Amino acid sequence: MKDFSKALEDAENCIRRNPGWAKGHFRKGVALEALLKYDLAIAAFEEGLKVEPDDKTLLHSCQSLKQMIEEMKITTAKMNTVENPEKDKFNIMIDWLLGGGARFPKLYLQYYSEDFRGVHALTKIPTDEVILYVPHDYIMTSDVAKASEIGKKIIASGVELRSKHSYLAAYLLQEKHHQHSFWKPYVDILPKDYKNMPIFFGDDELKYLKGSFSLDKIADRIDSLKTEYDNLCRHVHEFRRFTHEEFVWARLVVITRIFGLVIKGTKTDGLVPMADMLNHKRPRETKWTFSDAENGFIITTLKGMSSGDEVYDSYGRKCNSRFFVNYGFSLDENEDNEVVMGLRIPKSDPHYSMKVRFLGGNPNSVHREYQIPMSYKEKKTKECFYLLRFAHGRSSETAKAHRG
């Protein structure tokens, strides 16, 4: 959270040295407000007003924060009247997070339908403000999964996993089967199923995808998940208590919700409760990171928001085929869409043999497929152009390339 923790420490040092300096209390209140600790911020402003009752800056800061809190209470009361069949379990998760030190006072969860929820602003939020903090111990990381009972069994078995996501999926299943799990409030709010995911489509739905390379991606995903499950069951006896359907569910939870993180200089990934409720939008309106200084995950706004606005994350630049297969949705307008192009150097090319040798000697190397984005600056597009240029090279050019 930038340097607000250090600012708070400095302000408290100032107050200890000179309790009668109103500006020290003001600085403490500003730091606490930025750290989303509003009650403590008000207390700090009020301490400053005891020293300087007429200080306009303190008065304005204290009154503005109190007004904002009242506005959020009104909005919250209105939201409590909205029908939400999942309210109880979401309230349990929020209480669990807040009890562990998480902070997101300006956000609320909106229920749209059984398969669709979102996060909204309770009040006006300015640009470049931290709006969510989740402490490290409330992030289900891959490191936690590997250190768990099932994670250790998987590692000890020596099984070669197709995806590192299987560690988190296995841990998620272990905790789902444990009624007194620390993670139960989080596990309970996860979707019961993923009916909208294309890997569950029947023939009637799949026929509408005729001609789309998404069909191959769907088939590959189904095969990959089945192969991974069977492999785990062969090598890890304890894993056999989980069904294939459960494993697919857990892997889909991970695929659709995981964040890549760098914690104390080490790359990892994990599931971040509440943060994973934000829906996708481009261009991005928020940014997120793991803060070593705060020992937690934070989300910061990149644009101002009004009360009631939905708060979005960006899942990155992806072709609709990836959004569709990985998340179960696609965008009406997507400048990152791609198309598959198949290229082949014909045997009738007078320099066919030389070109085959140049490409590695395997005749299959002269037939390649490229998934091409619209931007010619992308690496995949350039690689396609390279092969096209080489395929149409004249004898002198081909000879030079071969000698080079």
Side-chain angles (χ1 to χ4, degrees):
M1 295 186 185
K2 297 187 177 179
D3 296 317
F4 291 118
S5 291
K6 182 67 168 57
L8 176 60
E9 184 181 335
D10 290 344
E12 288 176 334
N13 285 334
C14 288
I15 293 169
R16 275 193 293 271
R17 292 177 183 177
N18 186 3
W21 190 41
K23 195 168 184 179
H25 296 283
F26 170 73
R27 289 177 175 176
K28 180 179 179 179
V30 170
L32 286 166
E33 183 176 354
L35 290 166
L36 308 180
K37 299 179 179 181
Y38 296 151
D39 291 342
L40 294 177
I42 289 174
F45 291 142
E46 289 178 340
E47 283 298 313
L49 288 168
K50 290 178 183 178
V51 177
E52 294 285 347
D54 298 323
D55 186 294
K56 292 182 179 179
T57 304
L58 276 167
L59 281 168
H60 175 74
S61 298
C62 190
Q63 290 170 358
S64 296
L65 184 52
K66 286 181 176 180
Q67 182 179 350
M68 184 191 75
I69 291 173
E70 286 305 310
E71 290 174 354
M72 292 194 297
K73 287 180 180 178
I74 293 170
T75 305
T76 301
K78 289 180 180 177
M79 293 311 305
N80 286 336
T81 64
V82 177
E83 185 178 354
N84 178 359
E86 299 178 328
K87 184 189 298 184
D88 289 345
K89 63 181 181 181
F90 276 103
N91 286 342
I92 290 171
M93 183 202 70
I94 289 171
D95 288 344
W96 169 72
L97 283 172
L98 295 178
R103 301 188 290 275
F104 40 91
K106 293 185 179 181
L107 305 180
Y108 68 90
L109 278 170
Q110 176 73 58
Y111 175 89
Y112 308 129
S113 67
E114 183 181 354
D115 300 318
F116 192 24
R117 311 130 173 180
V119 175
H120 288 253
L122 268 173
T123 186
K124 184 178 180 180
I125 304 176
T127 304
D128 198 31
E129 178 170 308
V130 172
I131 55 173
L132 178 141
Y133 167 77
V134 177
H136 174 274
D137 291 348
Y138 283 71
I139 301 172
M140 188 186 287
T141 65
S142 288
D143 301 300
V144 170
K146 290 176 183 178
S148 70
E149 179 184 349
I150 191 66
K152 289 176 181 177
K153 295 288 186 183
I154 293 172
I155 293 171
S157 74
V159 62
E160 189 171 329
L161 298 178
R162 296 169 70 98
S163 171
K164 62 181 181 179
H165 289 176
S166 291
Y167 283 111
L168 267 174
Y171 180 55
L172 191 60
L173 289 176
Q174 173 187 286
E175 297 307 292
K176 187 180 182 185
H177 282 250
H178 179 23
Q179 282 300 309
H180 302 289
S181 168
F182 169 78
W183 300 102
K184 181 174 171 55
Y186 175 59
V187 174
D188 284 350
I189 65 95
L190 296 172
K192 290 185 175 63
D193 56 54
Y194 284 88
K195 292 179 291 187
N196 64 311
M197 299 296 281
I199 64 169
F200 298 119
F201 285 5
D203 291 340
D204 287 343
E205 290 94 354
L206 291 174
K207 69 182 181 183
Y208 291 107
L209 296 173
K210 184 179 179 180
S212 168
F213 59 87
S214 292
L215 286 170
D216 289 336
K217 290 180 177 291
I218 293 168
D220 289 345
R221 176 63 53 80
I222 293 171
D223 178 69
S224 177
L225 290 172
K226 183 66 167 65
T227 301
E228 185 86 307
Y229 175 74
D230 290 342
N231 201 25
L232 279 164
C233 287
R234 274 195 301 273
H235 290 83
V236 185
H237 176 78
E238 293 79 3
F239 197 82
R240 297 172 192 170
R241 62 187 168 125
F242 307 130
T243 67
H244 172 250
E245 290 74 18
E246 287 181 309
F247 176 68
V248 171
W249 171 85
R251 277 290 302 272
L252 289 176
V253 169
V254 177
I255 290 167
T256 57
R257 308 176 92 87
I258 197 163
F259 288 88
L261 307 169
V262 178
I263 301 177
K264 292 180 171 57
T266 301
K267 285 187 177 181
T268 185
D269 47 33
L271 304 176
V272 187
M274 190 65 182
D276 60 8
M277 302 298 296
L278 273 65
N279 292 315
H280 168 76
K281 187 178 182 181
R282 290 269 310 165
R284 63 181 186 152
E285 298 179 353
T286 59
K287 63 179 180 179
W288 50 262
T289 189
F290 186 91
S291 169
D292 288 336
E294 294 300 323
N295 195 33
F297 181 95
I298 61 174
I299 294 180
T300 306
T301 57
L302 293 174
K303 58 165 286 188
M305 300 176 187
S306 299
S307 177
D309 284 355
E310 183 169 2
V311 182
Y312 292 97
D313 179 24
S314 169
Y315 301 173
R317 294 179 55 195
K318 294 178 177 66
C319 173
N320 267 348
S321 64
R322 288 187 64 191
F323 282 133
F324 185 54
V325 176
N326 289 350
Y327 303 101
F329 71 85
S330 62
L331 306 175
D332 291 336
E333 300 290 337
N334 186 356
E335 62 182 15
D336 296 306
N337 273 339
E338 299 173 339
V339 63
V340 173
M341 290 180 61
L343 305 176
R344 182 189 298 274
I345 298 176
K347 288 186 177 181
S348 59
D349 187 311
H351 307 290
Y352 177 80
S353 297
M354 183 183 293
K355 290 176 180 178
V356 169
R357 289 197 300 273
F358 185 84
L359 292 173
N362 186 341
N364 292 328
S365 65
V366 299
H367 178 230
R368 300 186 180 185
E369 283 192 347
Y370 296 90
Q371 195 167 314
I372 304 298
M374 287 188 278
S375 173
Y376 69 90
K377 294 182 180 180
E378 298 289 342
K379 181 181 178 182
K380 290 182 283 189
T381 309
K382 290 180 179 180
E383 289 175 350
C384 179
F385 286 165
Y386 293 155
L387 183 66
L388 283 169
R389 183 68 185 88
F390 178 71
H392 289 273
R394 292 171 292 186
S395 57
S396 58
E397 295 171 321
T398 307
K400 285 181 181 178
H402 184 64
R403 289 196 299 271

